[in-house]
Amino acid sequence: MTAAAGIDVSDLCFTARALAQTHPMTEASHHYRQECLERERRRQPVTELADWAATALLVGYCLRRSEEQRVNDGAFAAAASTGNEIDLDHVTALTESLRLGDPGSVSLLPADVTVAALDRIIGTELDKRNEHLREQLDDASWSELEDYIAWWVIHGYALRASECPKQ
Protein backbone atom coordinates (compact mmCIF):
# COMPACT_ATOMS: atom_id res chain seq x y z
CA MET A 1 0.00 0.00 0.00
CA THR A 2 1.16 3.52 -0.63
CA ALA A 3 0.90 6.29 1.93
CA ALA A 4 -0.73 8.72 -0.50
CA ALA A 5 -4.43 8.88 0.25
CA GLY A 6 -4.37 5.29 1.52
CA ILE A 7 -4.61 3.94 -2.01
CA ASP A 8 -3.49 0.35 -2.50
CA VAL A 9 -1.29 0.20 -5.62
CA SER A 10 -1.69 -3.57 -5.78
CA ASP A 11 -5.44 -3.17 -5.93
CA LEU A 12 -5.17 -0.60 -8.73
CA CYS A 13 -2.98 -2.96 -10.72
CA PHE A 14 -5.24 -5.94 -10.05
CA THR A 15 -8.23 -3.94 -11.29
CA ALA A 16 -6.28 -2.90 -14.39
CA ARG A 17 -5.43 -6.51 -15.22
CA ALA A 18 -9.03 -7.58 -14.67
CA LEU A 19 -10.29 -4.79 -16.91
CA ALA A 20 -7.85 -5.86 -19.62
CA GLN A 21 -9.82 -9.10 -19.92
CA THR A 22 -13.11 -7.29 -20.62
CA HIS A 23 -12.54 -5.46 -23.93
CA PRO A 24 -12.38 -2.10 -22.16
CA MET A 25 -11.24 0.12 -25.01
CA THR A 26 -13.24 2.60 -26.97
CA GLU A 27 -13.60 1.73 -30.64
CA ALA A 28 -11.02 4.32 -31.65
CA SER A 29 -8.50 3.07 -29.08
CA HIS A 30 -9.08 -0.52 -30.07
CA HIS A 31 -8.39 0.31 -33.72
CA TYR A 32 -5.31 2.28 -32.73
CA ARG A 33 -4.02 -0.67 -30.70
CA GLN A 34 -4.57 -2.97 -33.68
CA GLU A 35 -2.68 -0.56 -35.96
CA CYS A 36 0.19 -0.43 -33.47
CA LEU A 37 0.27 -4.23 -33.26
CA GLU A 38 0.38 -4.60 -37.04
CA ARG A 39 3.05 -1.89 -37.40
CA GLU A 40 5.20 -3.43 -34.67
CA ARG A 41 4.87 -6.90 -36.21
CA ARG A 42 6.30 -5.51 -39.45
CA ARG A 43 8.98 -3.51 -37.67
CA GLN A 44 10.25 -5.97 -35.06
CA PRO A 45 12.58 -8.83 -35.94
CA VAL A 46 10.75 -11.01 -33.40
CA THR A 47 6.97 -10.70 -33.73
CA GLU A 48 6.43 -11.64 -30.08
CA LEU A 49 7.72 -8.18 -29.22
CA ALA A 50 4.73 -6.68 -31.02
CA ASP A 51 2.35 -8.86 -29.02
CA TRP A 52 4.05 -7.78 -25.80
CA ALA A 53 3.79 -4.13 -26.83
CA ALA A 54 0.06 -4.49 -27.54
CA THR A 55 -0.48 -6.18 -24.18
CA ALA A 56 1.54 -3.50 -22.39
CA LEU A 57 -0.50 -0.77 -24.11
CA LEU A 58 -3.75 -2.45 -23.07
CA VAL A 59 -2.75 -2.85 -19.42
CA GLY A 60 -1.51 0.75 -19.26
CA TYR A 61 -4.83 1.87 -20.73
CA CYS A 62 -6.65 -0.18 -18.11
CA LEU A 63 -4.59 1.30 -15.30
CA ARG A 64 -6.02 4.69 -16.23
CA ARG A 65 -9.50 3.12 -16.29
CA SER A 66 -8.77 1.72 -12.82
CA GLU A 67 -7.97 5.24 -11.63
CA GLU A 68 -11.20 6.51 -13.17
CA GLN A 69 -13.13 3.99 -11.07
CA ARG A 70 -11.46 5.36 -7.94
CA VAL A 71 -12.22 8.98 -8.79
CA ASN A 72 -15.88 9.96 -8.74
CA ASP A 73 -17.00 6.34 -8.84
CA GLY A 74 -16.46 6.02 -12.59
CA ALA A 75 -17.94 9.40 -13.57
CA PHE A 76 -15.08 9.74 -16.04
CA ALA A 77 -16.41 6.87 -18.14
CA ALA A 78 -19.37 8.98 -19.20
CA ALA A 79 -17.00 11.78 -20.20
CA ALA A 80 -14.93 9.59 -22.50
CA SER A 81 -14.34 10.84 -25.99
CA THR A 82 -16.53 9.12 -28.51
CA GLY A 83 -14.54 10.33 -31.50
CA ASN A 84 -13.36 7.92 -34.14
CA GLU A 85 -9.81 9.21 -34.31
CA ILE A 86 -6.90 9.34 -31.92
CA ASP A 87 -5.01 12.61 -31.64
CA LEU A 88 -1.58 10.99 -31.70
CA ASP A 89 0.23 14.27 -31.05
CA HIS A 90 -1.77 14.73 -27.88
CA VAL A 91 -1.22 11.12 -26.78
CA THR A 92 2.52 11.48 -27.40
CA ALA A 93 2.63 14.73 -25.40
CA LEU A 94 0.84 13.03 -22.50
CA THR A 95 3.24 10.08 -22.75
CA GLU A 96 6.21 12.42 -22.50
CA SER A 97 4.66 14.29 -19.57
CA LEU A 98 4.29 11.00 -17.73
CA ARG A 99 7.80 9.84 -18.56
CA LEU A 100 9.86 13.00 -18.34
CA GLY A 101 7.72 15.87 -17.19
CA ASP A 102 5.00 16.25 -14.65
CA PRO A 103 3.02 13.01 -14.16
CA GLY A 104 0.68 14.85 -11.80
CA SER A 105 -0.56 16.93 -14.71
CA VAL A 106 -1.88 13.74 -16.34
CA SER A 107 -2.77 11.37 -13.50
CA LEU A 108 -6.10 11.37 -11.71
CA LEU A 109 -4.65 10.11 -8.45
CA PRO A 110 -1.58 11.59 -6.75
CA ALA A 111 1.41 11.32 -9.08
CA ASP A 112 3.39 9.07 -6.70
CA VAL A 113 0.52 6.56 -6.68
CA THR A 114 0.23 6.54 -10.47
CA VAL A 115 4.00 6.24 -10.96
CA ALA A 116 4.16 3.38 -8.45
CA ALA A 117 1.30 1.61 -10.25
CA LEU A 118 2.92 2.14 -13.65
CA ASP A 119 6.19 0.78 -12.27
CA ARG A 120 4.42 -2.27 -10.88
CA ILE A 121 2.63 -2.95 -14.19
CA ILE A 122 5.90 -2.54 -16.11
CA GLY A 123 7.69 -4.85 -13.66
CA THR A 124 4.98 -7.48 -14.02
CA GLU A 125 5.13 -7.32 -17.81
CA LEU A 126 8.89 -7.77 -17.68
CA ASP A 127 8.68 -10.58 -15.11
CA LYS A 128 6.48 -12.50 -17.55
CA ARG A 129 9.34 -12.31 -20.08
CA ASN A 130 12.22 -12.84 -17.67
CA GLU A 131 11.99 -16.60 -17.39
CA HIS A 132 11.94 -17.23 -21.14
CA LEU A 133 14.07 -14.44 -22.47
CA ARG A 134 16.47 -12.93 -19.94
CA GLU A 135 19.18 -15.56 -20.33
CA GLN A 136 19.20 -15.00 -24.10
CA LEU A 137 19.83 -11.26 -23.82
CA ASP A 138 22.87 -9.34 -22.69
CA ASP A 139 22.37 -6.49 -20.23
CA ALA A 140 22.14 -3.83 -22.93
CA SER A 141 19.49 -5.77 -24.85
CA TRP A 142 17.50 -6.44 -21.69
CA SER A 143 17.62 -2.73 -20.90
CA GLU A 144 16.24 -1.99 -24.37
CA LEU A 145 13.39 -4.43 -23.73
CA GLU A 146 12.69 -2.75 -20.38
CA ASP A 147 12.50 0.64 -22.09
CA TYR A 148 10.31 -0.75 -24.87
CA ILE A 149 7.78 -2.34 -22.52
CA ALA A 150 7.79 0.71 -20.23
CA TRP A 151 7.08 3.04 -23.15
CA TRP A 152 4.11 0.97 -24.29
CA VAL A 153 2.58 0.75 -20.80
CA ILE A 154 2.91 4.50 -20.33
CA HIS A 155 1.63 5.16 -23.85
CA GLY A 156 -1.44 3.04 -23.13
CA TYR A 157 -2.12 5.05 -19.99
CA ALA A 158 -1.70 8.28 -22.00
CA LEU A 159 -4.03 6.96 -24.70
CA ARG A 160 -6.86 6.62 -22.19
CA ALA A 161 -5.92 9.93 -20.57
CA SER A 162 -6.39 11.60 -23.96
CA GLU A 163 -9.94 10.22 -24.08
CA CYS A 164 -10.80 11.21 -20.50
CA PRO A 165 -8.72 14.19 -19.50
CA LYS A 166 -8.45 15.52 -15.96
CA GLN A 167 -11.36 17.72 -15.08
Side-chain angles (χ1 to χ4, degrees), residues 3 7 10 14 22 27 43 59 61-62 65 69 74 92 103 108 115 128-129 131 145 150 152-153 155 160 163 165:
I7 298 166
S10 296
F14 176 82
T22 66
E27 186 175 339
R43 190 177 82 80
V59 179
Y61 182 96
C62 290
R65 296 271 321 262
Q69 289 182 358
T92 300
L108 297 175
V115 169
K128 292 190 305 189
R129 317 302 174 221
E131 182 178 316
L145 178 63
W152 283 105
V153 169
H155 191 67
R160 179 59 183 183
E163 294 176 334

mmCIF file of all heavy atoms in Angstrom, residues 3 7 10 14 22 27 43 59 61-62 65 69 74 92 103 108 115 128-129 131 145 150 152-153 155 160 163 165:
data_model
loop_
_atom_site.group_PDB
_atom_site.id
_atom_site.type_symbol
_atom_site.label_atom_id
_atom_site.label_comp_id
_atom_site.label_asym_id
_atom_site.label_seq_id
_atom_site.Cartn_x
_atom_site.Cartn_y
_atom_site.Cartn_z
ATOM 1 N N ALA A 3 1.368 5.372 0.904
ATOM 2 C CA ALA A 3 0.899 6.293 1.929
ATOM 3 C C ALA A 3 -0.050 7.340 1.361
ATOM 4 O O ALA A 3 -0.888 7.865 2.071
ATOM 5 C CB ALA A 3 2.105 6.976 2.575
ATOM 6 N N ILE A 7 -4.245 4.682 -0.808
ATOM 7 C CA ILE A 7 -4.606 3.935 -2.009
ATOM 8 C C ILE A 7 -3.677 2.742 -2.157
ATOM 9 O O ILE A 7 -2.458 2.878 -2.097
ATOM 10 C CB ILE A 7 -4.525 4.836 -3.259
ATOM 11 C CG1 ILE A 7 -5.517 5.986 -3.114
ATOM 12 C CG2 ILE A 7 -4.801 4.042 -4.521
ATOM 13 C CD1 ILE A 7 -5.315 7.097 -4.098
ATOM 14 N N SER A 10 -1.424 -2.202 -5.323
ATOM 15 C CA SER A 10 -1.686 -3.574 -5.776
ATOM 16 C C SER A 10 -3.120 -3.723 -6.257
ATOM 17 O O SER A 10 -3.385 -4.385 -7.262
ATOM 18 C CB SER A 10 -1.421 -4.579 -4.657
ATOM 19 O OG SER A 10 -0.079 -4.562 -4.295
ATOM 20 N N PHE A 14 -4.362 -4.780 -9.900
ATOM 21 C CA PHE A 14 -5.240 -5.937 -10.048
ATOM 22 C C PHE A 14 -6.465 -5.552 -10.865
ATOM 23 O O PHE A 14 -6.873 -6.278 -11.790
ATOM 24 C CB PHE A 14 -5.661 -6.478 -8.680
ATOM 25 C CG PHE A 14 -6.641 -7.619 -8.777
ATOM 26 C CD1 PHE A 14 -6.186 -8.909 -9.019
ATOM 27 C CD2 PHE A 14 -8.001 -7.399 -8.664
ATOM 28 C CE1 PHE A 14 -7.082 -9.969 -9.140
ATOM 29 C CE2 PHE A 14 -8.913 -8.445 -8.777
ATOM 30 C CZ PHE A 14 -8.458 -9.733 -9.019
ATOM 31 N N THR A 22 -11.704 -7.585 -20.342
ATOM 32 C CA THR A 22 -13.111 -7.293 -20.619
ATOM 33 C C THR A 22 -13.356 -6.435 -21.854
ATOM 34 O O THR A 22 -14.438 -5.882 -21.992
ATOM 35 C CB THR A 22 -13.756 -6.591 -19.411
ATOM 36 O OG1 THR A 22 -13.151 -5.297 -19.250
ATOM 37 C CG2 THR A 22 -13.634 -7.409 -18.143
ATOM 38 N N GLU A 27 -13.826 2.234 -29.282
ATOM 39 C CA GLU A 27 -13.602 1.728 -30.638
ATOM 40 C C GLU A 27 -12.354 2.343 -31.261
ATOM 41 O O GLU A 27 -11.539 1.646 -31.867
ATOM 42 C CB GLU A 27 -14.827 2.003 -31.501
ATOM 43 C CG GLU A 27 -14.721 1.376 -32.878
ATOM 44 C CD GLU A 27 -15.979 1.546 -33.715
ATOM 45 O OE1 GLU A 27 -17.063 1.782 -33.136
ATOM 46 O OE2 GLU A 27 -15.875 1.443 -34.939
ATOM 47 N N ARG A 43 7.754 -4.198 -38.035
ATOM 48 C CA ARG A 43 8.982 -3.509 -37.667
ATOM 49 C C ARG A 43 9.937 -4.364 -36.840
ATOM 50 O O ARG A 43 11.159 -4.262 -36.992
ATOM 51 C CB ARG A 43 8.598 -2.260 -36.861
ATOM 52 C CG ARG A 43 9.701 -1.298 -36.590
ATOM 53 C CD ARG A 43 9.179 -0.081 -35.848
ATOM 54 N NE ARG A 43 9.053 -0.288 -34.418
ATOM 55 C CZ ARG A 43 10.069 -0.228 -33.563
ATOM 56 N NH1 ARG A 43 11.285 -0.008 -33.989
ATOM 57 N NH2 ARG A 43 9.867 -0.409 -32.274
ATOM 58 N N VAL A 59 -2.765 -2.885 -20.878
ATOM 59 C CA VAL A 59 -2.748 -2.848 -19.419
ATOM 60 C C VAL A 59 -2.510 -1.417 -18.924
ATOM 61 O O VAL A 59 -3.110 -0.993 -17.931
ATOM 62 C CB VAL A 59 -1.726 -3.842 -18.840
ATOM 63 C CG1 VAL A 59 -1.687 -3.778 -17.322
ATOM 64 C CG2 VAL A 59 -2.056 -5.259 -19.282
ATOM 65 N N TYR A 61 -3.521 1.267 -20.474
ATOM 66 C CA TYR A 61 -4.831 1.873 -20.725
ATOM 67 C C TYR A 61 -5.777 1.529 -19.572
ATOM 68 O O TYR A 61 -6.492 2.386 -19.053
ATOM 69 C CB TYR A 61 -5.361 1.344 -22.054
ATOM 70 C CG TYR A 61 -6.689 1.902 -22.521
ATOM 71 C CD1 TYR A 61 -6.721 2.962 -23.425
ATOM 72 C CD2 TYR A 61 -7.891 1.354 -22.109
ATOM 73 C CE1 TYR A 61 -7.929 3.463 -23.899
ATOM 74 C CE2 TYR A 61 -9.101 1.844 -22.571
ATOM 75 C CZ TYR A 61 -9.116 2.901 -23.469
ATOM 76 O OH TYR A 61 -10.315 3.385 -23.923
ATOM 77 N N CYS A 62 -5.761 0.282 -19.174
ATOM 78 C CA CYS A 62 -6.653 -0.180 -18.111
ATOM 79 C C CYS A 62 -6.260 0.362 -16.745
ATOM 80 O O CYS A 62 -7.121 0.520 -15.873
ATOM 81 C CB CYS A 62 -6.721 -1.703 -18.105
ATOM 82 S SG CYS A 62 -7.602 -2.334 -19.541
ATOM 83 N N ARG A 65 -8.092 3.448 -16.561
ATOM 84 C CA ARG A 65 -9.497 3.123 -16.291
ATOM 85 C C ARG A 65 -9.689 2.765 -14.818
ATOM 86 O O ARG A 65 -10.696 3.128 -14.213
ATOM 87 C CB ARG A 65 -9.968 1.959 -17.169
ATOM 88 C CG ARG A 65 -9.994 2.190 -18.660
ATOM 89 C CD ARG A 65 -11.294 2.756 -19.183
ATOM 90 N NE ARG A 65 -12.483 2.230 -18.580
ATOM 91 C CZ ARG A 65 -13.254 1.259 -19.086
ATOM 92 N NH1 ARG A 65 -12.951 0.716 -20.248
ATOM 93 N NH2 ARG A 65 -14.338 0.876 -18.446
ATOM 94 N N GLN A 69 -12.172 4.627 -11.991
ATOM 95 C CA GLN A 69 -13.128 3.994 -11.075
ATOM 96 C C GLN A 69 -12.956 4.513 -9.653
ATOM 97 O O GLN A 69 -13.921 4.583 -8.901
ATOM 98 C CB GLN A 69 -12.979 2.477 -11.108
ATOM 99 C CG GLN A 69 -13.477 1.853 -12.378
ATOM 100 C CD GLN A 69 -13.356 0.345 -12.368
ATOM 101 O OE1 GLN A 69 -12.863 -0.255 -11.415
ATOM 102 N NE2 GLN A 69 -13.810 -0.279 -13.435
ATOM 103 N N GLY A 74 -16.304 6.327 -11.162
ATOM 104 C CA GLY A 74 -16.460 6.024 -12.585
ATOM 105 C C GLY A 74 -17.116 7.116 -13.397
ATOM 106 O O GLY A 74 -17.461 6.903 -14.545
ATOM 107 N N THR A 92 1.055 11.456 -27.537
ATOM 108 C CA THR A 92 2.521 11.480 -27.401
ATOM 109 C C THR A 92 2.945 12.534 -26.378
ATOM 110 O O THR A 92 3.833 12.276 -25.558
ATOM 111 C CB THR A 92 3.182 11.735 -28.769
ATOM 112 O OG1 THR A 92 2.794 10.682 -29.659
ATOM 113 C CG2 THR A 92 4.689 11.772 -28.666
ATOM 114 N N PRO A 103 4.070 14.021 -14.118
ATOM 115 C CA PRO A 103 3.017 13.010 -14.164
ATOM 116 C C PRO A 103 1.732 13.460 -13.467
ATOM 117 O O PRO A 103 0.644 13.043 -13.836
ATOM 118 C CB PRO A 103 3.628 11.788 -13.487
ATOM 119 C CG PRO A 103 4.850 12.250 -12.812
ATOM 120 C CD PRO A 103 5.263 13.545 -13.437
ATOM 121 N N LEU A 108 -4.907 11.010 -12.483
ATOM 122 C CA LEU A 108 -6.096 11.366 -11.715
ATOM 123 C C LEU A 108 -5.841 11.257 -10.216
ATOM 124 O O LEU A 108 -6.386 12.018 -9.434
ATOM 125 C CB LEU A 108 -7.264 10.447 -12.101
ATOM 126 C CG LEU A 108 -7.714 10.536 -13.543
ATOM 127 C CD1 LEU A 108 -8.794 9.496 -13.829
ATOM 128 C CD2 LEU A 108 -8.195 11.934 -13.887
ATOM 129 N N VAL A 115 2.652 6.690 -10.563
ATOM 130 C CA VAL A 115 3.996 6.244 -10.961
ATOM 131 C C VAL A 115 4.297 4.883 -10.344
ATOM 132 O O VAL A 115 4.835 3.990 -11.023
ATOM 133 C CB VAL A 115 5.061 7.297 -10.594
ATOM 134 C CG1 VAL A 115 6.463 6.743 -10.755
ATOM 135 C CG2 VAL A 115 4.877 8.553 -11.445
ATOM 136 N N LYS A 128 7.051 -11.453 -16.696
ATOM 137 C CA LYS A 128 6.475 -12.499 -17.549
ATOM 138 C C LYS A 128 7.440 -12.901 -18.666
ATOM 139 O O LYS A 128 7.347 -14.004 -19.186
ATOM 140 C CB LYS A 128 5.156 -12.013 -18.169
ATOM 141 C CG LYS A 128 4.056 -11.830 -17.140
ATOM 142 C CD LYS A 128 2.688 -11.586 -17.724
ATOM 143 C CE LYS A 128 2.560 -10.447 -18.674
ATOM 144 N NZ LYS A 128 1.176 -10.126 -19.057
ATOM 145 N N ARG A 129 8.367 -12.034 -19.007
ATOM 146 C CA ARG A 129 9.338 -12.314 -20.084
ATOM 147 C C ARG A 129 10.668 -12.814 -19.538
ATOM 148 O O ARG A 129 11.446 -13.412 -20.261
ATOM 149 C CB ARG A 129 9.603 -11.056 -20.922
ATOM 150 C CG ARG A 129 8.419 -10.225 -21.278
ATOM 151 C CD ARG A 129 7.352 -10.955 -22.054
ATOM 152 N NE ARG A 129 6.199 -10.080 -22.199
ATOM 153 C CZ ARG A 129 4.955 -10.475 -22.074
ATOM 154 N NH1 ARG A 129 4.668 -11.721 -21.801
ATOM 155 N NH2 ARG A 129 3.966 -9.638 -22.223
ATOM 156 N N GLU A 131 11.696 -15.175 -17.425
ATOM 157 C CA GLU A 131 11.994 -16.600 -17.391
ATOM 158 C C GLU A 131 12.385 -17.150 -18.768
ATOM 159 O O GLU A 131 13.277 -17.979 -18.884
ATOM 160 C CB GLU A 131 10.772 -17.354 -16.865
ATOM 161 C CG GLU A 131 10.979 -18.846 -16.740
ATOM 162 C CD GLU A 131 9.734 -19.506 -16.178
ATOM 163 O OE1 GLU A 131 9.144 -18.972 -15.216
ATOM 164 O OE2 GLU A 131 9.368 -20.562 -16.719
ATOM 165 N N LEU A 145 14.712 -3.826 -23.899
ATOM 166 C CA LEU A 145 13.393 -4.427 -23.726
ATOM 167 C C LEU A 145 12.637 -3.742 -22.587
ATOM 168 O O LEU A 145 11.439 -3.465 -22.714
ATOM 169 C CB LEU A 145 13.502 -5.930 -23.461
ATOM 170 C CG LEU A 145 12.172 -6.650 -23.216
ATOM 171 C CD1 LEU A 145 11.288 -6.575 -24.455
ATOM 172 C CD2 LEU A 145 12.410 -8.086 -22.811
ATOM 173 N N ALA A 150 8.185 -0.452 -21.034
ATOM 174 C CA ALA A 150 7.792 0.712 -20.232
ATOM 175 C C ALA A 150 7.106 1.754 -21.110
ATOM 176 O O ALA A 150 6.060 2.298 -20.731
ATOM 177 C CB ALA A 150 9.015 1.310 -19.534
ATOM 178 N N TRP A 152 5.440 1.398 -23.857
ATOM 179 C CA TRP A 152 4.110 0.975 -24.289
ATOM 180 C C TRP A 152 3.095 1.012 -23.149
ATOM 181 O O TRP A 152 1.928 1.366 -23.362
ATOM 182 C CB TRP A 152 4.161 -0.401 -24.957
ATOM 183 C CG TRP A 152 4.680 -0.296 -26.353
ATOM 184 C CD1 TRP A 152 5.923 -0.655 -26.795
ATOM 185 C CD2 TRP A 152 3.989 0.236 -27.486
ATOM 186 N NE1 TRP A 152 6.044 -0.376 -28.138
ATOM 187 C CE2 TRP A 152 4.872 0.169 -28.591
ATOM 188 C CE3 TRP A 152 2.726 0.763 -27.685
ATOM 189 C CZ2 TRP A 152 4.512 0.613 -29.865
ATOM 190 C CZ3 TRP A 152 2.360 1.196 -28.968
ATOM 191 C CH2 TRP A 152 3.258 1.120 -30.028
ATOM 192 N N VAL A 153 3.496 0.656 -21.942
ATOM 193 C CA VAL A 153 2.582 0.746 -20.797
ATOM 194 C C VAL A 153 2.178 2.208 -20.582
ATOM 195 O O VAL A 153 0.993 2.537 -20.453
ATOM 196 C CB VAL A 153 3.215 0.160 -19.514
ATOM 197 C CG1 VAL A 153 2.380 0.509 -18.279
ATOM 198 C CG2 VAL A 153 3.391 -1.347 -19.623
ATOM 199 N N HIS A 155 2.382 4.681 -22.682
ATOM 200 C CA HIS A 155 1.633 5.158 -23.846
ATOM 201 C C HIS A 155 0.169 4.717 -23.766
ATOM 202 O O HIS A 155 -0.734 5.485 -24.115
ATOM 203 C CB HIS A 155 2.299 4.643 -25.134
ATOM 204 C CG HIS A 155 1.792 5.266 -26.377
ATOM 205 N ND1 HIS A 155 1.986 6.598 -26.687
ATOM 206 C CD2 HIS A 155 1.082 4.745 -27.417
ATOM 207 C CE1 HIS A 155 1.425 6.863 -27.863
ATOM 208 N NE2 HIS A 155 0.864 5.755 -28.314
ATOM 209 N N ARG A 160 -5.587 6.469 -22.915
ATOM 210 C CA ARG A 160 -6.857 6.620 -22.195
ATOM 211 C C ARG A 160 -6.984 8.028 -21.604
ATOM 212 O O ARG A 160 -8.063 8.613 -21.623
ATOM 213 C CB ARG A 160 -6.987 5.567 -21.100
ATOM 214 C CG ARG A 160 -8.249 5.675 -20.300
ATOM 215 C CD ARG A 160 -9.502 5.559 -21.151
ATOM 216 N NE ARG A 160 -10.692 5.746 -20.328
ATOM 217 C CZ ARG A 160 -11.923 5.651 -20.767
ATOM 218 N NH1 ARG A 160 -12.145 5.388 -22.042
ATOM 219 N NH2 ARG A 160 -12.935 5.839 -19.958
ATOM 220 N N GLU A 163 -8.487 10.385 -23.914
ATOM 221 C CA GLU A 163 -9.936 10.222 -24.084
ATOM 222 C C GLU A 163 -10.712 10.809 -22.912
ATOM 223 O O GLU A 163 -11.833 11.299 -23.085
ATOM 224 C CB GLU A 163 -10.295 8.741 -24.198
ATOM 225 C CG GLU A 163 -9.770 8.071 -25.420
ATOM 226 C CD GLU A 163 -10.070 6.592 -25.457
ATOM 227 O OE1 GLU A 163 -10.240 5.958 -24.395
ATOM 228 O OE2 GLU A 163 -10.147 6.061 -26.577
ATOM 229 N N PRO A 165 -9.678 13.323 -20.168
ATOM 230 C CA PRO A 165 -8.715 14.191 -19.502
ATOM 231 C C PRO A 165 -9.137 14.551 -18.081
ATOM 232 O O PRO A 165 -10.293 14.392 -17.713
ATOM 233 C CB PRO A 165 -8.694 15.431 -20.394
ATOM 234 C CG PRO A 165 -9.937 15.389 -21.200
ATOM 235 C CD PRO A 165 -10.370 13.957 -21.280
#
